[in-house]
Amino acid sequence: MDILEILIETLGGLGLFILGMKTMTEGLQATAGQKIRRILEAISSNRIMGCLTGAGVTAMVQSSSATTVMLIGFVSAGIMSIEQAIGVVIGANVGTTITGQMIAFKLTKAALPAVALGVGLKYFSKKRTYRYIGDIILGFGILFYGMAVMKQGLTPIKSDPQFISFFTTFSTETLGGILLCVSMGTILTVMVQSSSATVGLTMALATSGLLTFPTAMALVLGENIGTTVTAQLATLGSKNPDAHRTANAHTIFNVVGVGIILLIFPFFITAVETVTLKLGAGPVDMVVNSEYINCPRYIANGHTIFNVINALVFLLLLPRLVQLTMLISPRPQKSRERYQLPKFDTSFIDSPIAALAQVKGEIINNAQFVLMSLKKTASCIKKRDDDILGEREVVEEYLDETQKVIIKYLTTIYQGDVNEPEAKEISEMMRITNNIERIGDSMENVSKIIERIYNNEIGFSDQAKSNLAKIADKAVAFLQLVVDQMQDKTEDFYDKALNMEDNIDQMREEMRSQHIQRLRAGECSVDAGVLFIALVSNFERMGDYCYNIATGVNRII
């Protein structure tokens, strides 16, 4: 076999491994995506719980990079604080070692049966859930088949003097040699954009005897640094300082952790060998059929031990890590323009969970803006304020443009690879966005009517003024409830929303009845009555829109 054939087979095997990993990760995210988002959103400020959550979520999606990108999306959306995100990042690095542990098991014989079963479920099942499970099984099979192809491709070169001479240059006998290995691991991971793939390649090289265990561990340490590049790429173009801080924390965590291990590298190697032997593995240099069959288990354990030690150290030093990331990251802008339109990072499109988290954050911001504007507009019922009334066109234009930006981004996400729950969520988010904009339309109508009342000096009875103040306050209270529940939903939210909707409808009917009585008694003019009914109707419509939003929030948030 010539060098070209060896290269093609090895790279082909690596390609299959990456394809399998991606397919499995997509299947896992599609199956558990909604649960993952809710788990991440519910994280407390407890650093230990955050770390455990990060480890669990990453074990579920089989990618620390995917978890970190999700976190950046959450932080950008304001759903998660930087302290919470960094705690989860620390755990994500522990969770990603599950992939290495899985690869270390000798499951090559299960690869083709898994591919057969996975294809059957993915392409012949009617239920989407089964198709997603098919993705997981298919990805699993392709991953291990790729490992087998890599090993087979490397087999001819393990006795070739030229290749042996090349690989022996990666020696860990000197500090320079260790740093070279770490650098190579970093570069490989940056190129492949998957630390799991480069760990798999390292295991294949070590199994073939082309790398010693210490050399393989040095490469794995470098691969831990290389995986941080994905998070850094996710922040390119982002103006959110917390997004940069999350990515920087991931980088600092791995770089400093590797630096610490390099200072005690010989002792670390000895510790990994001792622990692995005590766990029942055979000697690291045992050879069976020309393969170092135990080496992958030692590499997997070394990868896990490094990340667990690193996590424990940085959990203790979490406040200092946060301070350091604050120091080296971009400073936040002092203020945000009031009418600044949402800006979405297109880099999150491939991660629907992160992208939808961004949208959720902007929808909440938009709803809060409408709430603030509605409070101001409602205050004009009692006292004229030309500054508030005069800005209605600017507010309405801003809400219209915001609606367009959000809907356009949701459409872009929908056109990508989304699962059924995500498609439903996108639909509900569009509905919520449209109803927020409709509240703005009604608010503009109210502003115009109030200005007309003042300009024409139209008077209302005391009862009419009281009724208008009551229904306006009720509409404000309903929108306040919706905005609060968007951020932290309670179990009885829907019942409260339904009750408020019924109350506003009842208030409208009672106020109309009282208005008719006042007309009969000659207590108000026809002009005043028309405008009174128009105001009541607009506030009642706001209640309808708030209820529509509440229904969507209850379904997806």
Side-chain angles (χ1 to χ4, degrees), residues 399-410:
L399 291 175
D400 287 346
E401 291 302 314
T402 299
Q403 177 197 29
K404 291 176 184 176
V405 172
I406 293 175
I407 296 296
K408 182 179 179 181
Y409 190 66
L410 284 170

Side-chain angles (χ1 to χ4, degrees), residues 308-328:
V308 169
I309 292 173
N310 208 17
L312 292 174
V313 169
F314 277 97
L315 279 177
L316 294 173
L317 301 175
L318 185 60
R320 298 288 178 267
L321 177 57
V322 173
Q323 289 175 357
L324 183 55
T325 57
M326 296 284 191
L327 184 65
I328 68 172

Side-chain angles (χ1 to χ4, degrees), residues 384-413:
R384 180 169 187 165
D385 189 324
D386 288 330
D387 289 337
I388 294 173
L389 297 174
E391 66 179 4
R392 64 170 171 266
E393 292 182 1
V394 178
V395 170
E396 173 60 18
E397 183 180 357
Y398 168 73
L399 291 175
D400 287 346
E401 291 302 314
T402 299
Q403 177 197 29
K404 291 176 184 176
V405 172
I406 293 175
I407 296 296
K408 182 179 179 181
Y409 190 66
L410 284 170
T411 303
T412 304
I413 299 171

Side-chain angles (χ1 to χ4, degrees), residues 163 265 282 357 534:
F163 280 99
F265 189 74

Side-chain angles (χ1 to χ4, degrees), residues 116-127:
L117 177 60
V119 167
L121 289 171
K122 179 177 174 64
Y123 293 105
F124 300 103
S125 294
K126 293 183 179 179
K127 291 187 176 180

Side-chain angles (χ1 to χ4, degrees), residues 121-123 125-135:
L121 289 171
K122 179 177 174 64
Y123 293 105
S125 294
K126 293 183 179 179
K127 291 187 176 180
R128 285 199 178 195
T129 303
Y130 292 155
R131 294 203 290 271
Y132 298 146
I133 294 172
D135 277 329

Side-chain angles (χ1 to χ4, degrees), residues 366-374 399 436 439-440 443 479:
N366 195 28
Q368 288 173 334
F369 177 86
V370 172
L371 176 62
M372 176 190 68
S373 299
L374 180 57
L399 291 175
I436 290 173
I439 293 174
M443 189 167 61
L479 184 54

Side-chain angles (χ1 to χ4, degrees), residues 429-539:
M429 282 185 168
M430 287 181 174
R431 185 167 176 254
I432 290 170
T433 301
N434 290 334
N435 277 279
I436 290 173
E437 192 276 333
R438 287 170 188 150
I439 293 174
D441 290 340
S442 293
M443 189 167 61
E444 183 186 26
N445 293 337
V446 167
S447 178
K448 288 178 179 178
I449 295 168
I450 291 173
E451 188 173 55
R452 181 180 172 186
I453 290 168
Y454 285 124
N455 288 342
N456 293 287
E457 299 181 350
I458 297 173
F460 287 102
S461 67
D462 291 339
Q463 187 181 28
K465 290 177 182 177
S466 175
N467 284 345
L468 287 174
K470 285 179 182 178
I471 197 167
D473 289 343
K474 200 69 175 180
V476 169
F478 199 174
L479 184 54
Q480 181 74 65
L481 173 70
V482 170
V483 171
D484 291 342
Q485 295 293 320
M486 280 182 177
Q487 300 172 80
D488 187 15
K489 188 175 72 176
T490 56
E491 291 184 5
D492 60 347
F493 164 54
Y494 184 74
D495 291 335
K496 287 181 179 178
L498 184 60
N499 185 52
M500 293 190 82
E501 159 68 358
D502 290 340
N503 285 343
I504 292 176
D505 287 346
Q506 187 176 355
M507 288 173 71
R508 177 198 60 187
E509 294 306 316
E510 290 176 356
M511 288 176 186
R512 282 180 174 176
S513 177
Q514 291 169 5
H515 164 65
I516 292 171
Q517 292 175 11
R518 289 194 299 273
L519 279 175
R520 285 176 179 173
E523 295 177 4
C524 70
S525 66
V526 174
D527 288 342
V530 170
L531 296 178
F532 173 84
I533 293 297
L535 286 172
V536 169
S537 297
N538 274 284
F539 282 118

